[in-house]
């Protein structure tokens, strides 16, 4: 047998792109029909081995080798490995030939074949732990690990204030923070402390590669949400009487009004108030505790840092000079998150009428 094998029907394909187009990071499958005249007695094919010789489509003269295996009948298959089809292959393309040798050592190599290389695969968010809770007025750090078969061009953090406090509008505008230089495969962002408010934060991430493929972690319609709980107590200051008198005539009541401010709708003048403001008083005997009564919201809005006015009255019978020469009072405010503030005790001496 002095006749070389015959090589026909050479087809290259990728799972992602189909026939004739390789995909970055994916092996490129090559099949060919290889026959040989074989021995005269049996007429059976006597193809012994087949190979793929491949390289980048450039001026280099070095070829790499991949062995083919017989699939069925006269069909032989092999692969250019995924590791070879990288960013450089994306820019240059592939060149390959198929060769075959029969049992008698006769060999044939096919004409040169070309394959385009594309990147149609999105980057991959391989690690991201969603931030679901943060501390008010502290910067929020968000990190993600992103990889791509080619490279990652940039990662964007898209975020907005949510207005969990119930104020209008419900959502703030979207902001975009762009990072084009991750550390290795890790990309880090920081939402400023000034935006870390009780409104909470919505966010999602997207990543792109040089071919324009974009991947998302969260979406504009289904973002991650960061809850920022209220951990600060309301603020209280005496409005009237100011200054608080040091003495009170026995039998005279005392009306006390205070300013209260908080950063949510707990003490809202127009909203559904869930906070309480109370006036506490006692006839001082060294052992008795305070009696607390609810104060009335008479004006202003205590939400979102504004000043609301609350008023309550200590009954005149509390100022009883008989046996009690002193009355103490304070004011307590508790918001919906159970943050509490109590003023210092104010001392009033009772004098006979």
């Amino acid at each position: 047998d002095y006749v070389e094998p015959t090589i026909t029907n050479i087809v290259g394909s990728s799972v992602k792109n189909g026939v004739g187009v390789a995909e970055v990071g994916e092996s490129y499958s090559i099949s060919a029909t290889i026959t040989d005249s074989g021995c005269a007695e049996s007429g059976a094919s006597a193809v012994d081995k087949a190979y793929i010789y491949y390289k980048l489509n450039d001026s280099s003269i070095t070829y790499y080798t991949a062995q083919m295996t017989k699939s069925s009948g006269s069909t032989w298959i092999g692969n250019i490995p995924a590791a070879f089809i990288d960013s450089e292959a994306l820019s240059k393309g592939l060149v390959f030939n198929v060769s075959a040798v029969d049992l008698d050592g006769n060999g044939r190599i096919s004409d040169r074949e070309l394959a385009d290389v594309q990147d149609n695969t999105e980057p991959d968010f391989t690690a991201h732990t969603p931030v679901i809770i943060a501390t008010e007025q502290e910067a929020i750090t968000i990190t993600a690990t992103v990889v791509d078969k080619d490279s990652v061009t940039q990662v964007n953090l898209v975020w907005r204030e949510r207005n969990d406090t119930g104020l209008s509008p419900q959502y703030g505008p979207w902001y975009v923070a762009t990072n084009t230089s991750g550390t290795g495969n890790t990309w880090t962002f920081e939402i400023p402390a000034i935006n870390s408010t009780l409104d909470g934060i919505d966010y999602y991430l997207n990543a792109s590669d040089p071919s324009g493929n974009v991947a998302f972690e969260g979406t504009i319609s289904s973002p991650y949400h960061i809850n920022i709980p209220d951990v600060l107590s309301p603020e209280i200051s005496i409005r009237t009487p100011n200054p608080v008198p040091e003495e009170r005539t026995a039998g005279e009541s005392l009306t006390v009004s205070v300013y209260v401010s908080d950063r949510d709708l707990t003490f809202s003048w127009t909203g559904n108030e869930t906070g309480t403001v109370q006036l506490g008083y006692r006839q001082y005997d060294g052992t008795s505790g305070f009696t607390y009564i609810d104060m009335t919201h008479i004006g202003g809005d205590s939400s979102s840092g504004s000043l609301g006015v609350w008023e309550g009255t200590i009954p005149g019978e509390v100022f009883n000079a008989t046996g009690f020469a002193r009355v103490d009072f304070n004011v307590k405010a508790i918001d919906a998150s159970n943050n509490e503030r109590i003023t210092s005790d104010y001392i009033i001496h009772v004098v006979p009428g």
Side-chain angles (χ1 to χ4, degrees):
D1 179 9
Y2 297 101
V3 180
E4 300 92 348
T6 300
I7 304 172
T8 58
N9 301 324
I10 299 173
V11 177
S13 65
S14 63
V15 174
K16 186 76 173 180
N17 302 320
V19 175
V21 182
E23 174 71 13
V24 172
E26 179 188 316
S27 62
Y28 189 60
S29 177
I30 297 170
S31 66
T33 301
I34 306 176
T35 59
D36 188 70
S37 59
C39 60
E41 290 81 2
S42 66
S45 175
V47 177
D48 184 24
K49 297 177 181 178
Y51 299 92
I52 303 167
Y53 295 103
Y54 62 92
K55 73 179 194 70
L56 299 177
N57 189 7
D58 58 15
S59 60
S60 66
I61 60 174
T62 301
Y63 279 81
Y64 300 89
T65 305
Q67 189 163 0
M68 302 181 79
T69 58
K70 189 174 182 180
S71 173
S72 62
S74 300
T75 301
W76 291 68
I77 59 173
N79 294 285
I80 298 175
F84 186 78
I85 307 176
D86 57 10
S87 298
E88 189 175 8
L90 176 63
S91 64
K92 296 179 178 180
L94 302 174
V95 174
F96 66 92
N97 306 80
V98 173
S99 74
V101 179
D102 66 18
L103 291 171
D104 293 308
N106 302 302
R108 182 185 293 273
I109 188 165
S110 72
D111 292 336
R112 188 176 74 160
E113 303 281 343
L114 300 177
D116 186 23
V117 178
Q118 296 180 4
D119 178 10
N120 293 310
T121 303
E122 302 86 0
D124 185 12
F125 282 89
T126 57
H128 172 61
T129 301
V131 179
I132 59 174
I133 193 167
T135 302
E136 185 181 8
Q137 297 300 302
E138 289 187 9
I140 303 170
T141 299
I142 295 174
T143 61
T145 302
V146 189
V147 298
D148 189 73
K149 292 178 179 179
D150 180 9
S151 62
V152 178
T153 304
Q154 68 181 42
V155 179
N156 296 320
L157 169 68
V158 188
W159 62 275
R160 68 182 176 188
E161 294 184 48
R162 173 67 176 269
N163 292 345
D164 282 347
T165 53
L167 300 178
S168 295
Q170 184 178 358
Y171 303 110
W174 288 104
Y175 299 95
V176 179
T178 299
N179 190 337
T180 58
S181 56
T183 302
N185 294 322
T186 301
W187 303 74
T188 302
F189 300 88
E190 187 174 274
I191 297 175
I194 193 172
N195 299 106
S196 180
T197 69
L198 301 183
D199 289 332
I201 299 289
D202 285 339
Y203 78 92
Y204 66 93
L205 298 149
N206 62 56
S208 57
D209 63 19
S211 298
N213 301 301
V214 180
F216 290 86
E217 182 72 8
T219 64
I220 191 170
S221 60
S222 183
Y224 293 111
H225 182 62
I226 305 174
N227 178 41
I228 302 175
D230 184 2
V231 296
L232 299 179
S233 300
E235 297 291 336
I236 307 171
S237 60
I238 298 294
R239 176 175 175 264
T240 59
N242 192 1
V244 175
E246 295 183 358
E247 295 182 345
R248 194 71 173 169
T249 301
E252 288 186 1
S253 62
L254 176 65
T255 297
V256 177
S257 67
V258 295
Y259 294 114
V260 176
S261 65
D262 201 57
R263 295 161 322 290
D264 58 27
L265 293 181
T266 294
F267 303 102
S268 172
W269 178 246
T270 57
N272 181 23
E273 289 185 339
T274 53
T276 57
V277 182
Q278 296 180 321
L279 176 62
Y281 54 84
R282 68 180 178 187
Q283 295 172 320
Y284 183 76
D285 60 4
T287 60
S288 298
F290 285 87
T291 297
Y292 283 95
I293 60 172
D294 289 338
M295 301 182 78
T296 302
H297 194 173
I298 63 172
D301 194 331
S302 293
S303 64
S304 299
S306 302
L307 294 177
V309 180
W310 298 70
E311 184 179 271
T313 298
I314 303 173
E317 57 266 26
V318 174
F319 295 95
N320 182 353
T322 306
F324 298 99
R326 168 180 153 185
V327 171
D328 300 342
F329 80 88
N330 59 39
V331 176
K332 175 168 63 177
I334 306 172
D335 66 19
S337 299
N338 259 350
N339 300 305
E340 178 181 285
R341 187 176 299 277
I342 303 178
T343 66
S344 57
D345 294 343
Y346 293 92
I347 300 172
I348 299 177
H349 296 280
V350 181
V351 296

